[in-house]
Amino acid sequence: MSEPVAPNLVTAVSEHRQWDRLMQMARLGSITGADGSPGVNRPCLSPLDRQARRLLIAWGESIGLTPTIDALNNLFLRMEGREPGLAPVLTGSHMDSQPAGGRFDGIWGVLAGLEAIQALREAGITPRRPIELVAWTNEEGGRFAPGCMGSMAYAGHSPPDTWDAVEDGEGTRFGDALREQMALEADLPRRPLGIVEGQAPHAYVEAHIEQGPRLEAEGQDIGIVTGIQGSRWFLVELRGESAHAGTAPLSMRRDAVQDMLRAITALNALMDDPTDILRFTVARIEVHPNSSNSVAERVRFTIDFRHPSAAVLTERGEAIEPTIRAAVQHCAVTVTERFHALPVEFAPEVTEAVARAAAAQRLRALRMPSGAFHDAQFMVPLCPSGMIFVPSRRGISHNPAEYSSPAQLAAGARVLAQVLAELAEG
Ligand SMILES: [Zn+2]
């Protein structure tokens, strides 16, 4: 096997420093899960988010990185290269969490990028290209749906005002929360949204916990992520009529809950997949008036549908609305698609760099697709992109019980450091 490109770079990655920073970040929004696990609830564009960003900026500035933010509040920390005019290598992830989230999803990718850049500094390496660390706005979609707003706007997938009217659970509009946060960060230098002066990044690499069980189950250290399956999210609204549960005959009701059951049963048949590759989830249901003795007049439910094949995603996705309309008996139906990300394949320039780094560091690595979507999905049209996974204990994520060990996370940061050094030299 070959030796690492820069052995002193690999040894400069500090397991302790990275873990300590993760635990400092985890205190900003700390919660306790049902099983006593320490989790995080740090919504995007919240006071906790601002504290976390200030902490990251302070750490970045302490090693000479320069912060900028764009119109979607994406935060960049730049390490200058030997040839500052060249397109930068971009690395990072997100700092927001699910409402009952873990301490590693997203934030580890940001802190691994910081650790890798700090290791470059300490190893005395100034790469040819600049390296930019990015924290994308609202990847989770936990407060404002859908997720990945920051990366979608950056990549030109959606105009930046697309989500202005989206409301959180308290009725705050995304556009207002964004304006407030931009005002509170008035001291941070601005940069244009998206590609600057026609110069796409040279490459994008995102480190992330696996959020699934494969690496642990197969005794692997590193996931070489080959691509991401596609996702489509829908919001379904069924409108019937409220009535008294004791007096309204069943034959006269327009019961939205009963129609929802018909719709979901028909959708389960539509989404049946003997190969068990397709992912179909109904997990958020709102019933109005939500009273035990009133017939439901309105139901809203979400659909999360994912598949690695664009054809399956298109065909069955387009069949969702007709299937619901054919199944319901009494209600008016509205189906709104809220998120649509096609499946992507990552670039060999990045996947092979990850494979080389893992091999040079004597780590066991597995080529695998990602079931979860990530900001990296939207970078694929812009530049060679890829991801590095580390194992998640029992595959648990979006849960306070989410866990990867300090050593597993350090191994991921070492691979990232070597990949960044190689890509930024190219
Ligand atoms: Zn994530």
Side-chain angles (χ1 to χ4, degrees), residues 282-317:
V282 174
R284 179 168 177 171
I285 298 172
E286 292 168 37
V287 179
H288 191 80
N290 204 23
S291 163
S292 65
N293 57 350
S294 296
V295 172
E297 71 173 356
R298 192 183 73 218
V299 167
R300 284 198 192 119
F301 65 94
T302 57
I303 294 172
D304 180 314
F305 166 42
R306 307 188 195 201
H307 202 278
S309 154
V312 173
L313 207 65
T314 301
E315 281 162 27
R316 295 208 203 181

Side-chain angles (χ1 to χ4, degrees), residues 94 105-106 139-140 208:
H94 59 95
D105 177 0
E139 190 276 345
E140 291 290 0
H208 206 283

Side-chain angles (χ1 to χ4, degrees), residues 93-94 105-106 139-140 206 208 211 373-374 398:
S93 193
H94 59 95
D105 177 0
E139 190 276 345
E140 291 290 0
E206 179 167 352
H208 206 283
Q211 304 182 282
F373 62 75
H374 296 286
H398 287 187

Side-chain angles (χ1 to χ4, degrees), residues 30-48:
S30 63
I31 57 169
T32 304
D35 66 349
S37 297
V40 172
N41 176 11
R42 191 169 53 238
C44 75
L45 304 178
S46 65
L48 287 168

Side-chain angles (χ1 to χ4, degrees), residues 277-420:
I277 291 170
L278 186 150
R279 301 284 181 265
F280 170 72
T281 308
V282 174
R284 179 168 177 171
I285 298 172
E286 292 168 37
V287 179
H288 191 80
N290 204 23
S291 163
S292 65
N293 57 350
S294 296
V295 172
E297 71 173 356
R298 192 183 73 218
V299 167
R300 284 198 192 119
F301 65 94
T302 57
I303 294 172
D304 180 314
F305 166 42
R306 307 188 195 201
H307 202 278
S309 154
V312 173
L313 207 65
T314 301
E315 281 162 27
R316 295 208 203 181
E318 295 314 303
I320 284 176
E321 182 167 347
T323 300
I324 295 169
R325 289 189 181 281
V328 304
Q329 293 180 358
H330 307 292
C331 286
V333 176
T334 310
V335 179
T336 312
E337 183 161 18
R338 295 194 301 169
F339 182 64
H340 190 150
L342 287 173
V344 296
E345 277 184 38
F346 287 138
E349 293 95 314
V350 178
T351 53
E352 295 317 301
V354 176
R356 275 193 296 277
Q361 296 176 30
R362 313 278 198 272
L363 296 166
R364 284 158 300 178
L366 176 72
R367 288 172 196 267
M368 61 186 297
S370 170
F373 62 75
H374 296 286
D375 293 304
Q377 201 151 356
F378 300 97
M379 301 303 292
V380 167
L382 298 191
C383 62
S385 301
M387 295 186 74
I388 301 167
F389 278 173
V390 295
S392 296
R393 188 170 67 192
R394 303 204 316 278
I396 294 172
S397 184
H398 287 187
N399 185 319
E402 182 179 276
Y403 184 78
S404 304
S405 73
Q408 288 170 326
L409 296 165
R414 287 187 201 104
V415 170
L416 178 64
Q418 191 167 339
V419 168
L420 291 177

Side-chain angles (χ1 to χ4, degrees), residues 45-115:
L45 304 178
S46 65
L48 287 168
D49 181 37
R50 288 190 280 280
Q51 281 184 54
R53 290 159 64 86
R54 291 292 177 181
L55 189 54
L56 180 74
I57 291 168
W59 288 332
E61 287 182 331
S62 76
I63 56 168
L65 308 186
T66 313
T68 49
I69 60 174
D70 68 20
L72 254 281
N73 202 238
N74 296 315
L75 168 64
F76 297 81
L77 288 159
R78 181 177 172 104
M79 175 196 201
E80 207 48 84
R82 298 198 305 276
E83 298 178 39
L86 292 180
V89 173
L90 199 55
T91 187
S93 193
H94 59 95
M95 300 175 74
D96 62 327
S97 79
Q98 286 287 320
R103 297 171 291 170
F104 308 96
D105 177 0
I107 188 65
W108 174 62
V110 174
L111 295 178
L114 182 68
E115 185 58 42

